[in-house]
Amino acid sequence: MSAAIDELMDFDDVIETYDPVMGMEVHVELGTATKMFCGCPTTFGGEPNTQVCPACLGLPGALPVANAKAVESAVRIGLALNCSIRESSVFARKNYFYPDQPKNYQISQYDKPTSYDGYLDVVLSDGTTWRVDIERAHMEEDTGKSLHIGGATGRIHGASHSLLDYNRAGVPLVEIVTRPIEGAGERAPEIARAYVTALRDLLKSLNVSDVRMDQGSMRCDVNLSLMPKGAAEFGTRTETKNVNSLKSVETAVRFEMQRQAAILSAGGEIVQETRHFHEADGTTSAGRRKETAEDYRYFPEPDLPPVIASPEWVEGLRATLPELPWVRRARIQEQWGVSDEVMRDLVNVGAVDLIIETAEAGASADAARSWWVSFLAQQANTRDVELAELAITPKQVAEVIGMVDEGKLTNKLAQQVVVAVLDGEGEPAQIVADRGLEVVRDDSALQKAVDEALAANPDIADKIRSGKVQAAGKIVGDVMKATRGQADPARVKELVLAACE
């Protein structure tokens, strides 16, 4: 007997009855110009099957050659995660058949990965720190992409046929695998999200990947199991594959906890399987039975020599590591003079690095902070995305702020420009030019609009002449409407008062 798949236990009841155990596997596409074992480009969005060659298509006689830049990036990631770096690591063949893997095996690493035994300390919403232990960070190649045609869900079940794009096959990956995360209790979903957030920030600071979760540059597999309170052995785990946003990581953990608890409490058993996450409703559904390591029949890759990382070379790479995000934030907090609570709020909404980068692009820190935590945060909420996933860069925000500072845009006009950037209309300066949004500076045009507004409101004009200056607000509003918001309100008020003297 088992509970229905969509039956969920109340989250508080889950915590009362079970202890969750998590494991996170994060795949990061490295930002190299070419693939892991050949010279094909890695440009995102190319025409299908135009970035391929005999090596990444697995044609007979084509031999792989490791990408030196990818190896360097992998070691830098390991160092930043406080890992030990293996002096001689080995590539292995991971054997399995999937249509999107043209060789019928994946070149990965198995028992001798590049980096191992590390950790990442993550800060939670209340300021406490949780240490996530890293088991390994190993190199491998990505698979291609399948497009299933004819089904209702976009998945292979029910599809009439599938299309394969091998452009992504062979793109360099680093897979970062945690050790089991125990003792998290009710904070398990939060810890999962905080870990992936911190990892994304770290990888971005290393400049090894664009970590675009929406484009698959960073993908998270969430392993989760439950064990009854007081039990000593882990429960059977599921692996929710390719979760591609920070919010979804948290949602997937919570849903699987509630789903598994409902099954276990009804006397059912958890099936060890992969599961698909559905963004629309935050649920998961069954995929395929999960293989074990033995099923993949790993063996050393015969066409690639070991990767040698001499201590001298590793220490040289260690010296290239940038200021880590949390160190940078502590320094910036002192510069900004904000409290721990304010800084924690900025961190929790994912605004800190965006504000820093906007300030580095030329805006004042105060203006950058105001834009990101007010108008842009509202836009992120409306569009149901994370702040960092908005389709606008800190440089573009700084450009808009600069136009406001120069008097070319009012705040309202600037908001129109930002929305247009978010909607994909182009760069800020081009949008201003195309829409004719720049503030009207011609006093003769403004004076005409003022005169027309006063003539249309003689009673208001009389009030202003009698000394009721606050009445000028109505005339200013009419002029702003007549000029589509492109007038400088302060200058308009000056002209109104002068006309009523």
Side-chain angles (χ1 to χ4, degrees):
M1 177 181 178
S2 64
I5 289 179
D6 59 353
E7 183 177 340
L8 303 180
M9 179 182 283
D10 181 80
F11 189 76
D12 290 338
D13 292 338
V14 176
I15 300 305
E16 287 289 327
T17 312
Y18 299 100
D19 288 322
V21 179
M22 295 187 298
M24 315 294 288
E25 301 173 14
V26 175
H27 294 79
V28 182
E29 283 189 355
L30 301 179
T32 56
T34 56
K35 293 184 180 181
M36 186 70 214
F37 300 113
C38 67
C40 291
T42 58
T43 308
F44 179 81
E47 287 295 316
N49 298 310
T50 58
Q51 297 168 192
V52 295
C53 71
C56 57
L57 288 176
L59 299 184
L63 297 177
V65 177
N67 184 324
K69 183 65 177 178
V71 173
E72 177 184 303
S73 296
V75 172
R76 294 179 75 234
I77 290 172
L79 290 171
L81 290 172
N82 305 290
C83 289
S84 298
I85 306 300
R86 197 180 303 277
E87 191 165 347
S88 177
S89 59
V90 177
F91 285 108
R93 288 190 183 181
K94 182 180 183 181
N95 295 276
Y96 63 102
F97 173 76
Y98 288 109
D100 56 7
Q101 184 56 275
K103 293 193 292 290
N104 290 342
Y105 62 84
Q106 179 188 37
I107 301 178
S108 183
Q109 292 186 309
Y110 179 46
D111 57 338
K112 294 183 179 179
T114 307
S115 307
Y116 60 98
D117 289 348
Y119 64 88
L120 181 62
D121 289 331
V122 300
V123 180
L124 305 182
S125 59
D126 61 359
T128 59
T129 299
W130 187 281
R131 174 162 293 186
V132 176
D133 291 321
I134 307 295
E135 180 178 306
R136 56 195 284 138
H138 64 262
M139 295 180 286
E140 59 186 24
E141 59 180 340
D142 210 343
T143 61
K145 295 177 68 176
S146 301
L147 179 63
H148 305 297
I149 308 297
T153 65
R155 302 192 183 278
I156 194 169
H157 301 292
S160 59
H161 61 285
S162 298
L163 303 178
L164 297 171
D165 178 8
Y166 290 125
N167 282 352
R168 198 178 69 183
V171 168
L173 285 179
V174 167
E175 181 177 357
I176 301 164
V177 182
T178 71
R179 297 192 185 281
I181 302 171
E182 303 177 63
E186 65 182 355
R187 306 197 75 172
E190 178 191 359
I191 289 169
R193 177 173 179 162
Y195 166 71
V196 178
T197 302
L199 187 57
R200 185 191 64 177
D201 292 346
L202 176 62
L203 296 167
K204 187 175 181 181
S205 74
L206 293 173
N207 197 31
V208 295
S209 172
D210 63 13
V211 292
R212 287 286 300 272
M213 297 186 77
D214 59 316
Q215 293 183 358
S217 299
M218 181 174 172
R219 312 189 291 273
C220 181
D221 297 344
V222 178
N223 292 272
L224 188 121
S225 66
L226 297 178
M227 56 183 182
K229 290 284 187 180
E233 295 185 5
F234 293 167
T236 301
R237 65 184 173 89
T238 61
E239 181 181 8
T240 304
K241 301 287 288 185
N242 297 330
V243 186
N244 62 3
S245 79
L246 301 176
K247 179 181 178 181
S248 295
V249 169
E250 183 174 8
T251 302
V253 170
R254 177 179 286 268
F255 180 85
E256 273 300 288
M257 288 174 65
Q258 294 180 270
R259 186 191 70 86
Q260 291 187 24
I263 293 173
L264 293 172
S265 66
E269 295 183 352
I270 303 301
V271 176
Q272 184 168 320
E273 62 186 356
T274 63
R275 297 186 66 82
H276 303 297
F277 181 76
H278 304 285
E279 294 279 352
D281 58 9
T283 64
T284 69
S285 62
R288 57 179 171 81
R289 292 295 180 105
K290 178 63 179 172
E291 295 89 345
T292 64
E294 290 76 15
D295 294 325
Y296 290 123
R297 305 188 323 279
Y298 284 99
F299 65 85
E301 168 57 62
D303 293 330
L304 287 166
V307 176
I308 305 301
S310 69
E312 295 78 16
W313 181 66
V314 170
E315 290 309 308
L317 289 181
R318 192 188 303 275
T320 71
L321 297 181
E323 183 180 35
L324 297 178
W326 35 92
V327 177
R328 183 190 192 197
R329 288 168 188 163
R331 174 175 59 79
I332 292 295
Q333 179 181 352
E334 185 175 355
Q335 289 180 5
W336 288 351
V338 299
S339 67
D340 290 344
E341 291 75 15
V342 170
M343 194 65 176
R344 189 158 62 243
D345 289 343
L346 295 177
V347 170
N348 289 340
V349 298
V352 176
D353 289 338
L354 296 168
I355 295 169
I356 293 172
E357 291 171 25
T358 303
E360 289 175 346
S364 71
D366 286 344
R369 189 160 64 245
S370 175
W371 272 91
W372 282 108
V373 301
S374 55
F375 185 72
L376 284 164
Q378 292 169 7
Q379 288 294 311
N381 185 59
T382 299
R383 296 163 190 260
D384 195 27
V385 297
E386 301 290 338
L387 198 59
E389 294 170 356
L390 284 173
I392 191 167
T393 66
K395 183 179 178 182
Q396 290 170 324
V397 175
E399 184 179 349
V400 173
I401 292 172
M403 293 181 187
V404 174
D405 292 342
E406 293 170 10
K408 294 180 178 179
L409 295 175
T410 64
N411 278 325
K412 287 189 176 181
L413 291 173
Q415 289 176 2
Q416 293 181 41
V417 175
V418 167
V419 170
V421 174
L422 293 173
D423 290 340
E425 294 187 23
E427 293 296 318
Q430 189 61 48
I431 291 168
V432 171
D434 291 346
R435 292 192 175 191
L437 293 178
E438 192 164 330
V439 169
V440 176
R441 292 285 176 194
D442 183 356
D443 270 5
S444 61
L446 292 179
Q447 188 64 61
K448 181 181 177 182
V450 167
D451 291 343
E452 290 176 352
L454 289 170
N457 297 275
D459 54 333
I460 301 296
D462 290 341
K463 289 181 180 179
I464 298 171
R465 293 188 183 99
S466 67
K468 295 181 179 179
V469 176
Q470 65 271 23
K474 170 67 168 66
I475 304 300
V476 172
D478 288 352
V479 172
M480 294 302 295
K481 184 176 181 180
T483 59
R484 297 183 303 160
Q486 291 178 247
D488 178 353
R491 181 56 181 157
V492 171
K493 185 175 182 179
E494 290 175 0
L495 293 174
V496 171
L497 295 179
C500 294
E501 287 181 350

